[in-house]
Amino acid sequence: MASLRLINRLVIRGFIALSLLLIFLNEFLIYYISQTAWQQIDCKYENCTRILFVADPQLIGNSYEKGFWSPISRYDADRYLRKTFERSLHFTQPHIICFLGDLLDEGSIATQQDFEGYVKRFHRIYNTNTNIKRIHVPGDNDIGGEDGEYISNSNVRRFEEAFQSEDLFDYENMLRFFKINRMMLDFTNPDREHNDQRLRVGISHAPILIGGGPLLRSVLSELDPHVIFSGHWHESRIFIHPSTHVVNFYEYTVRHFDLRSLKGRDHQYLEIMVPTASYRMGKMKMGLGYAVLQNYQLSYTVLWQPSRFIYLFLYLFWLLLSLCGFIVFRMMTRCPFRVTNRQSSCKRIGIDIPQF
């Protein structure tokens, strides 16, 4: 009996130790392990600008998910966004952070009270010091516009008040950022006379170069951007216009572009699509874009993040394995007592039990 109790204690302690180890791996260690594959980009000149891109975080709202698990789901998704952002922020030390739209999942349909709650959650997740400049562009989930959805002035106005009041336009007299809104067929261009003196960067939620139409013609003729960054598709791709060449960029490497040569000599335009930052978009690969601009030289990579669904399935697998192990262990430890008790009771009444 004493030896069996000792075995019980050892099994329980082993189960607790392995469970704590799994939690430590899934909730803390994995973020540092994924960081080991990231590529650092060194600054070689004084006019070096580091930019971090966050696309489609889509904070989960209160309307589409109403099950008993909804608070846990929102908490886990928010924590994942916060942890991955914190590690990316520490790794890159950016001068500028660009948020490429779809910041909220239900921004276009939210009540004012819900919207204010979503904004507070967003700022808690993406909290930075005041020295880092920020740029926000709206997505279709923020203000509407998907599949012909009506875009109300009130949605546009409250997004601007919540996110864009202190947005960056020029940086260090070198870079100029243009916000392009494909849903409204509009873009910012308040200082046309001095555009030629800046390296021009287009920021859009939806891709621009592959869509064609009047917006593309206006963007190329009036803004003449050296590079455009976009999101929306939740994919990592590189577009070259006017060719139809598309590169699916899912590597851990750094891509280098000579923006002056690309535009001036080759007469081509470059657009980089940043993958989604959220594991809730149903993609196996999530990441944040990281770019360094210096002397019209662009270096770009993706900071790939761990796949949260894989580690959530690990929890499920461990739960099922533990349940099966518990059942087998209880059967193995309880059956000998039943045989012993049966033998003892039979001997008390004088019956011999045949031994097998």
PDB file of all heavy atoms in Angstrom, residues 109-135:
ATOM      1  N   ILE A 109     -19.257  48.404 -37.586  1.00  0.00           N
ATOM      2  CA  ILE A 109     -20.614  48.123 -37.115  1.00  0.00           C
ATOM      3  C   ILE A 109     -20.767  48.380 -35.623  1.00  0.00           C
ATOM      4  O   ILE A 109     -21.849  48.207 -35.073  1.00  0.00           O
ATOM      5  CB  ILE A 109     -21.017  46.669 -37.418  1.00  0.00           C
ATOM      6  CG1 ILE A 109     -20.145  45.698 -36.627  1.00  0.00           C
ATOM      7  CG2 ILE A 109     -20.939  46.381 -38.904  1.00  0.00           C
ATOM      8  CD1 ILE A 109     -20.636  44.266 -36.651  1.00  0.00           C
ATOM      9  N   ALA A 110     -19.696  48.791 -34.960  1.00  0.00           N
ATOM     10  CA  ALA A 110     -19.723  48.929 -33.508  1.00  0.00           C
ATOM     11  C   ALA A 110     -20.518  50.147 -33.076  1.00  0.00           C
ATOM     12  O   ALA A 110     -20.525  51.186 -33.749  1.00  0.00           O
ATOM     13  CB  ALA A 110     -18.294  49.031 -32.973  1.00  0.00           C
ATOM     14  N   THR A 111     -21.177  50.021 -31.937  1.00  0.00           N
ATOM     15  CA  THR A 111     -21.774  51.181 -31.298  1.00  0.00           C
ATOM     16  C   THR A 111     -20.650  52.080 -30.780  1.00  0.00           C
ATOM     17  O   THR A 111     -19.495  51.656 -30.681  1.00  0.00           O
ATOM     18  CB  THR A 111     -22.676  50.764 -30.132  1.00  0.00           C
ATOM     19  OG1 THR A 111     -21.862  50.133 -29.119  1.00  0.00           O
ATOM     20  CG2 THR A 111     -23.742  49.783 -30.600  1.00  0.00           C
ATOM     21  N   GLN A 112     -20.987  53.309 -30.441  1.00  0.00           N
ATOM     22  CA  GLN A 112     -19.961  54.225 -29.953  1.00  0.00           C
ATOM     23  C   GLN A 112     -19.315  53.702 -28.674  1.00  0.00           C
ATOM     24  O   GLN A 112     -18.091  53.808 -28.497  1.00  0.00           O
ATOM     25  CB  GLN A 112     -20.574  55.611 -29.705  1.00  0.00           C
ATOM     26  CG  GLN A 112     -19.560  56.671 -29.323  1.00  0.00           C
ATOM     27  CD  GLN A 112     -18.495  56.887 -30.399  1.00  0.00           C
ATOM     28  OE1 GLN A 112     -18.770  56.749 -31.586  1.00  0.00           O
ATOM     29  NE2 GLN A 112     -17.281  57.217 -29.974  1.00  0.00           N
ATOM     30  N   GLN A 113     -20.093  53.101 -27.804  1.00  0.00           N
ATOM     31  CA  GLN A 113     -19.550  52.566 -26.560  1.00  0.00           C
ATOM     32  C   GLN A 113     -18.600  51.402 -26.839  1.00  0.00           C
ATOM     33  O   GLN A 113     -17.507  51.332 -26.261  1.00  0.00           O
ATOM     34  CB  GLN A 113     -20.689  52.105 -25.640  1.00  0.00           C
ATOM     35  CG  GLN A 113     -20.211  51.561 -24.293  1.00  0.00           C
ATOM     36  CD  GLN A 113     -21.361  51.147 -23.398  1.00  0.00           C
ATOM     37  OE1 GLN A 113     -22.533  51.275 -23.762  1.00  0.00           O
ATOM     38  NE2 GLN A 113     -21.047  50.652 -22.218  1.00  0.00           N
ATOM     39  N   ASP A 114     -19.016  50.484 -27.715  1.00  0.00           N
ATOM     40  CA  ASP A 114     -18.141  49.363 -28.067  1.00  0.00           C
ATOM     41  C   ASP A 114     -16.883  49.860 -28.756  1.00  0.00           C
ATOM     42  O   ASP A 114     -15.782  49.366 -28.492  1.00  0.00           O
ATOM     43  CB  ASP A 114     -18.876  48.373 -28.966  1.00  0.00           C
ATOM     44  CG  ASP A 114     -19.856  47.503 -28.195  1.00  0.00           C
ATOM     45  OD1 ASP A 114     -19.731  47.431 -26.962  1.00  0.00           O
ATOM     46  OD2 ASP A 114     -20.755  46.911 -28.830  1.00  0.00           O
ATOM     47  N   PHE A 115     -17.034  50.833 -29.656  1.00  0.00           N
ATOM     48  CA  PHE A 115     -15.883  51.361 -30.387  1.00  0.00           C
ATOM     49  C   PHE A 115     -14.855  51.952 -29.428  1.00  0.00           C
ATOM     50  O   PHE A 115     -13.642  51.712 -29.581  1.00  0.00           O
ATOM     51  CB  PHE A 115     -16.336  52.418 -31.395  1.00  0.00           C
ATOM     52  CG  PHE A 115     -15.236  52.957 -32.256  1.00  0.00           C
ATOM     53  CD1 PHE A 115     -14.812  52.253 -33.381  1.00  0.00           C
ATOM     54  CD2 PHE A 115     -14.608  54.159 -31.954  1.00  0.00           C
ATOM     55  CE1 PHE A 115     -13.781  52.739 -34.177  1.00  0.00           C
ATOM     56  CE2 PHE A 115     -13.587  54.653 -32.744  1.00  0.00           C
ATOM     57  CZ  PHE A 115     -13.171  53.942 -33.856  1.00  0.00           C
ATOM     58  N   GLU A 116     -15.302  52.698 -28.458  1.00  0.00           N
ATOM     59  CA  GLU A 116     -14.374  53.278 -27.489  1.00  0.00           C
ATOM     60  C   GLU A 116     -13.652  52.189 -26.694  1.00  0.00           C
ATOM     61  O   GLU A 116     -12.461  52.322 -26.377  1.00  0.00           O
ATOM     62  CB  GLU A 116     -15.133  54.218 -26.552  1.00  0.00           C
ATOM     63  CG  GLU A 116     -15.643  55.471 -27.248  1.00  0.00           C
ATOM     64  CD  GLU A 116     -16.538  56.316 -26.349  1.00  0.00           C
ATOM     65  OE1 GLU A 116     -16.778  55.891 -25.186  1.00  0.00           O
ATOM     66  OE2 GLU A 116     -16.991  57.385 -26.794  1.00  0.00           O
ATOM     67  N   GLY A 117     -14.373  51.099 -26.387  1.00  0.00           N
ATOM     68  CA  GLY A 117     -13.727  49.978 -25.709  1.00  0.00           C
ATOM     69  C   GLY A 117     -12.673  49.310 -26.581  1.00  0.00           C
ATOM     70  O   GLY A 117     -11.596  48.940 -26.101  1.00  0.00           O
ATOM     71  N   TYR A 118     -12.979  49.152 -27.870  1.00  0.00           N
ATOM     72  CA  TYR A 118     -12.003  48.557 -28.787  1.00  0.00           C
ATOM     73  C   TYR A 118     -10.750  49.422 -28.909  1.00  0.00           C
ATOM     74  O   TYR A 118      -9.632  48.910 -28.971  1.00  0.00           O
ATOM     75  CB  TYR A 118     -12.630  48.382 -30.174  1.00  0.00           C
ATOM     76  CG  TYR A 118     -13.855  47.498 -30.226  1.00  0.00           C
ATOM     77  CD1 TYR A 118     -14.798  47.626 -31.260  1.00  0.00           C
ATOM     78  CD2 TYR A 118     -14.098  46.544 -29.249  1.00  0.00           C
ATOM     79  CE1 TYR A 118     -15.925  46.824 -31.313  1.00  0.00           C
ATOM     80  CE2 TYR A 118     -15.227  45.739 -29.299  1.00  0.00           C
ATOM     81  CZ  TYR A 118     -16.128  45.890 -30.331  1.00  0.00           C
ATOM     82  OH  TYR A 118     -17.243  45.088 -30.383  1.00  0.00           O
ATOM     83  N   VAL A 119     -10.950  50.739 -28.957  1.00  0.00           N
ATOM     84  CA  VAL A 119      -9.804  51.658 -29.081  1.00  0.00           C
ATOM     85  C   VAL A 119      -8.903  51.545 -27.860  1.00  0.00           C
ATOM     86  O   VAL A 119      -7.670  51.521 -27.975  1.00  0.00           O
ATOM     87  CB  VAL A 119     -10.294  53.105 -29.277  1.00  0.00           C
ATOM     88  CG1 VAL A 119      -9.123  54.083 -29.200  1.00  0.00           C
ATOM     89  CG2 VAL A 119     -11.010  53.244 -30.615  1.00  0.00           C
ATOM     90  N   LYS A 120      -9.493  51.452 -26.671  1.00  0.00           N
ATOM     91  CA  LYS A 120      -8.684  51.304 -25.456  1.00  0.00           C
ATOM     92  C   LYS A 120      -7.908  49.996 -25.480  1.00  0.00           C
ATOM     93  O   LYS A 120      -6.730  49.963 -25.094  1.00  0.00           O
ATOM     94  CB  LYS A 120      -9.594  51.362 -24.223  1.00  0.00           C
ATOM     95  CG  LYS A 120     -10.176  52.735 -23.956  1.00  0.00           C
ATOM     96  CD  LYS A 120     -11.085  52.720 -22.733  1.00  0.00           C
ATOM     97  CE  LYS A 120     -11.680  54.088 -22.484  1.00  0.00           C
ATOM     98  NZ  LYS A 120     -12.605  54.080 -21.310  1.00  0.00           N
ATOM     99  N   ARG A 121      -8.540  48.919 -25.922  1.00  0.00           N
ATOM    100  CA  ARG A 121      -7.826  47.644 -26.030  1.00  0.00           C
ATOM    101  C   ARG A 121      -6.673  47.755 -27.012  1.00  0.00           C
ATOM    102  O   ARG A 121      -5.574  47.241 -26.760  1.00  0.00           O
ATOM    103  CB  ARG A 121      -8.790  46.546 -26.486  1.00  0.00           C
ATOM    104  CG  ARG A 121      -9.673  45.994 -25.392  1.00  0.00           C
ATOM    105  CD  ARG A 121     -10.733  45.080 -25.965  1.00  0.00           C
ATOM    106  NE  ARG A 121     -10.171  44.019 -26.790  1.00  0.00           N
ATOM    107  CZ  ARG A 121     -10.877  43.306 -27.674  1.00  0.00           C
ATOM    108  NH1 ARG A 121     -12.171  43.562 -27.851  1.00  0.00           N
ATOM    109  NH2 ARG A 121     -10.296  42.351 -28.371  1.00  0.00           N
ATOM    110  N   PHE A 122      -6.907  48.418 -28.137  1.00  0.00           N
ATOM    111  CA  PHE A 122      -5.863  48.562 -29.155  1.00  0.00           C
ATOM    112  C   PHE A 122      -4.654  49.297 -28.578  1.00  0.00           C
ATOM    113  O   PHE A 122      -3.503  48.877 -28.787  1.00  0.00           O
ATOM    114  CB  PHE A 122      -6.426  49.321 -30.360  1.00  0.00           C
ATOM    115  CG  PHE A 122      -5.431  49.522 -31.469  1.00  0.00           C
ATOM    116  CD1 PHE A 122      -5.267  48.568 -32.454  1.00  0.00           C
ATOM    117  CD2 PHE A 122      -4.641  50.668 -31.516  1.00  0.00           C
ATOM    118  CE1 PHE A 122      -4.344  48.751 -33.475  1.00  0.00           C
ATOM    119  CE2 PHE A 122      -3.726  50.857 -32.527  1.00  0.00           C
ATOM    120  CZ  PHE A 122      -3.567  49.892 -33.511  1.00  0.00           C
ATOM    121  N   HIS A 123      -4.892  50.368 -27.859  1.00  0.00           N
ATOM    122  CA  HIS A 123      -3.778  51.140 -27.308  1.00  0.00           C
ATOM    123  C   HIS A 123      -3.074  50.394 -26.182  1.00  0.00           C
ATOM    124  O   HIS A 123      -1.873  50.615 -25.953  1.00  0.00           O
ATOM    125  CB  HIS A 123      -4.271  52.507 -26.833  1.00  0.00           C
ATOM    126  CG  HIS A 123      -4.635  53.431 -27.964  1.00  0.00           C
ATOM    127  ND1 HIS A 123      -3.764  53.744 -28.986  1.00  0.00           N
ATOM    128  CD2 HIS A 123      -5.789  54.104 -28.243  1.00  0.00           C
ATOM    129  CE1 HIS A 123      -4.343  54.581 -29.832  1.00  0.00           C
ATOM    130  NE2 HIS A 123      -5.576  54.804 -29.412  1.00  0.00           N
ATOM    131  N   ARG A 124      -3.785  49.541 -25.464  1.00  0.00           N
ATOM    132  CA  ARG A 124      -3.112  48.710 -24.458  1.00  0.00           C
ATOM    133  C   ARG A 124      -2.194  47.693 -25.115  1.00  0.00           C
ATOM    134  O   ARG A 124      -1.096  47.414 -24.618  1.00  0.00           O
ATOM    135  CB  ARG A 124      -4.141  47.997 -23.580  1.00  0.00           C
ATOM    136  CG  ARG A 124      -4.766  48.873 -22.502  1.00  0.00           C
ATOM    137  CD  ARG A 124      -5.419  48.022 -21.428  1.00  0.00           C
ATOM    138  NE  ARG A 124      -6.466  47.162 -21.978  1.00  0.00           N
ATOM    139  CZ  ARG A 124      -7.754  47.486 -22.012  1.00  0.00           C
ATOM    140  NH1 ARG A 124      -8.143  48.674 -21.545  1.00  0.00           N
ATOM    141  NH2 ARG A 124      -8.652  46.650 -22.509  1.00  0.00           N
ATOM    142  N   ILE A 125      -2.649  47.130 -26.225  1.00  0.00           N
ATOM    143  CA  ILE A 125      -1.840  46.124 -26.919  1.00  0.00           C
ATOM    144  C   ILE A 125      -0.629  46.762 -27.578  1.00  0.00           C
ATOM    145  O   ILE A 125       0.500  46.286 -27.439  1.00  0.00           O
ATOM    146  CB  ILE A 125      -2.700  45.386 -27.968  1.00  0.00           C
ATOM    147  CG1 ILE A 125      -3.795  44.571 -27.279  1.00  0.00           C
ATOM    148  CG2 ILE A 125      -1.838  44.493 -28.854  1.00  0.00           C
ATOM    149  CD1 ILE A 125      -4.833  44.017 -28.237  1.00  0.00           C
ATOM    150  N   TYR A 126      -0.863  47.844 -28.309  1.00  0.00           N
ATOM    151  CA  TYR A 126       0.196  48.496 -29.079  1.00  0.00           C
ATOM    152  C   TYR A 126       0.676  49.761 -28.373  1.00  0.00           C
ATOM    153  O   TYR A 126       0.660  50.850 -28.911  1.00  0.00           O
ATOM    154  CB  TYR A 126      -0.299  48.796 -30.491  1.00  0.00           C
ATOM    155  CG  TYR A 126      -0.600  47.545 -31.277  1.00  0.00           C
ATOM    156  CD1 TYR A 126      -1.924  47.157 -31.531  1.00  0.00           C
ATOM    157  CD2 TYR A 126       0.419  46.722 -31.737  1.00  0.00           C
ATOM    158  CE1 TYR A 126      -2.196  45.999 -32.245  1.00  0.00           C
ATOM    159  CE2 TYR A 126       0.151  45.557 -32.440  1.00  0.00           C
ATOM    160  CZ  TYR A 126      -1.149  45.207 -32.682  1.00  0.00           C
ATOM    161  OH  TYR A 126      -1.433  44.048 -33.379  1.00  0.00           O
ATOM    162  N   ASN A 127       1.122  49.560 -27.156  1.00  0.00           N
ATOM    163  CA  ASN A 127       1.595  50.662 -26.336  1.00  0.00           C
ATOM    164  C   ASN A 127       3.079  50.912 -26.620  1.00  0.00           C
ATOM    165  O   ASN A 127       3.894  49.989 -26.571  1.00  0.00           O
ATOM    166  CB  ASN A 127       1.388  50.326 -24.858  1.00  0.00           C
ATOM    167  CG  ASN A 127       1.812  51.453 -23.953  1.00  0.00           C
ATOM    168  OD1 ASN A 127       1.694  52.627 -24.303  1.00  0.00           O
ATOM    169  ND2 ASN A 127       2.330  51.115 -22.787  1.00  0.00           N
ATOM    170  N   THR A 128       3.415  52.150 -26.947  1.00  0.00           N
ATOM    171  CA  THR A 128       4.807  52.513 -27.238  1.00  0.00           C
ATOM    172  C   THR A 128       5.128  53.823 -26.538  1.00  0.00           C
ATOM    173  O   THR A 128       4.242  54.540 -26.073  1.00  0.00           O
ATOM    174  CB  THR A 128       5.042  52.679 -28.752  1.00  0.00           C
ATOM    175  OG1 THR A 128       4.190  53.736 -29.246  1.00  0.00           O
ATOM    176  CG2 THR A 128       4.725  51.395 -29.502  1.00  0.00           C
ATOM    177  N   ASN A 129       6.417  54.136 -26.488  1.00  0.00           N
ATOM    178  CA  ASN A 129       6.796  55.430 -25.927  1.00  0.00           C
ATOM    179  C   ASN A 129       6.534  56.535 -26.956  1.00  0.00           C
ATOM    180  O   ASN A 129       6.337  56.275 -28.140  1.00  0.00           O
ATOM    181  CB  ASN A 129       8.272  55.424 -25.484  1.00  0.00           C
ATOM    182  CG  ASN A 129       9.227  55.239 -26.649  1.00  0.00           C
ATOM    183  OD1 ASN A 129       9.223  56.008 -27.607  1.00  0.00           O
ATOM    184  ND2 ASN A 129      10.084  54.219 -26.559  1.00  0.00           N
ATOM    185  N   THR A 130       6.538  57.749 -26.473  1.00  0.00           N
ATOM    186  CA  THR A 130       6.123  58.883 -27.312  1.00  0.00           C
ATOM    187  C   THR A 130       7.139  59.242 -28.384  1.00  0.00           C
ATOM    188  O   THR A 130       6.826  60.016 -29.292  1.00  0.00           O
ATOM    189  CB  THR A 130       5.884  60.116 -26.428  1.00  0.00           C
ATOM    190  OG1 THR A 130       7.069  60.371 -25.646  1.00  0.00           O
ATOM    191  CG2 THR A 130       4.709  59.873 -25.477  1.00  0.00           C
ATOM    192  N   ASN A 131       8.352  58.719 -28.305  1.00  0.00           N
ATOM    193  CA  ASN A 131       9.371  59.060 -29.301  1.00  0.00           C
ATOM    194  C   ASN A 131       9.154  58.337 -30.628  1.00  0.00           C
ATOM    195  O   ASN A 131       9.709  58.735 -31.651  1.00  0.00           O
ATOM    196  CB  ASN A 131      10.771  58.739 -28.766  1.00  0.00           C
ATOM    197  CG  ASN A 131      11.149  59.622 -27.586  1.00  0.00           C
ATOM    198  OD1 ASN A 131      10.744  60.776 -27.534  1.00  0.00           O
ATOM    199  ND2 ASN A 131      11.900  59.071 -26.648  1.00  0.00           N
ATOM    200  N   ILE A 132       8.386  57.271 -30.625  1.00  0.00           N
ATOM    201  CA  ILE A 132       8.140  56.506 -31.841  1.00  0.00           C
ATOM    202  C   ILE A 132       6.950  57.113 -32.578  1.00  0.00           C
ATOM    203  O   ILE A 132       5.857  57.249 -32.023  1.00  0.00           O
ATOM    204  CB  ILE A 132       7.871  55.024 -31.524  1.00  0.00           C
ATOM    205  CG1 ILE A 132       9.069  54.408 -30.791  1.00  0.00           C
ATOM    206  CG2 ILE A 132       7.575  54.249 -32.796  1.00  0.00           C
ATOM    207  CD1 ILE A 132       8.853  52.971 -30.381  1.00  0.00           C
ATOM    208  N   LYS A 133       7.146  57.462 -33.829  1.00  0.00           N
ATOM    209  CA  LYS A 133       6.077  58.034 -34.648  1.00  0.00           C
ATOM    210  C   LYS A 133       5.163  56.920 -35.143  1.00  0.00           C
ATOM    211  O   LYS A 133       5.595  55.782 -35.344  1.00  0.00           O
ATOM    212  CB  LYS A 133       6.658  58.814 -35.824  1.00  0.00           C
ATOM    213  CG  LYS A 133       7.677  59.870 -35.437  1.00  0.00           C
ATOM    214  CD  LYS A 133       7.086  60.912 -34.513  1.00  0.00           C
ATOM    215  CE  LYS A 133       8.106  61.979 -34.164  1.00  0.00           C
ATOM    216  NZ  LYS A 133       7.548  62.987 -33.221  1.00  0.00           N
ATOM    217  N   ARG A 134       3.905  57.268 -35.372  1.00  0.00           N
ATOM    218  CA  ARG A 134       2.922  56.277 -35.792  1.00  0.00           C
ATOM    219  C   ARG A 134       2.120  56.785 -36.977  1.00  0.00           C
ATOM    220  O   ARG A 134       1.886  57.986 -37.127  1.00  0.00           O
ATOM    221  CB  ARG A 134       1.976  55.939 -34.636  1.00  0.00           C
ATOM    222  CG  ARG A 134       2.670  55.289 -33.436  1.00  0.00           C
ATOM    223  CD  ARG A 134       1.821  55.350 -32.194  1.00  0.00           C
ATOM    224  NE  ARG A 134       0.681  54.443 -32.265  1.00  0.00           N
ATOM    225  CZ  ARG A 134       0.527  53.372 -31.502  1.00  0.00           C
ATOM    226  NH1 ARG A 134       1.445  53.048 -30.624  1.00  0.00           N
ATOM    227  NH2 ARG A 134      -0.549  52.615 -31.599  1.00  0.00           N
ATOM    228  N   ILE A 135       1.664  55.824 -37.811  1.00  0.00           N
ATOM    229  CA  ILE A 135       0.793  56.113 -38.939  1.00  0.00           C
ATOM    230  C   ILE A 135      -0.309  55.055 -38.948  1.00  0.00           C
ATOM    231  O   ILE A 135      -0.021  53.857 -38.824  1.00  0.00           O
ATOM    232  CB  ILE A 135       1.554  56.091 -40.282  1.00  0.00           C
ATOM    233  CG1 ILE A 135       2.712  57.084 -40.261  1.00  0.00           C
ATOM    234  CG2 ILE A 135       0.622  56.389 -41.442  1.00  0.00           C
ATOM    235  CD1 ILE A 135       3.608  57.001 -41.480  1.00  0.00           C
TER     236      ILE A 135
END
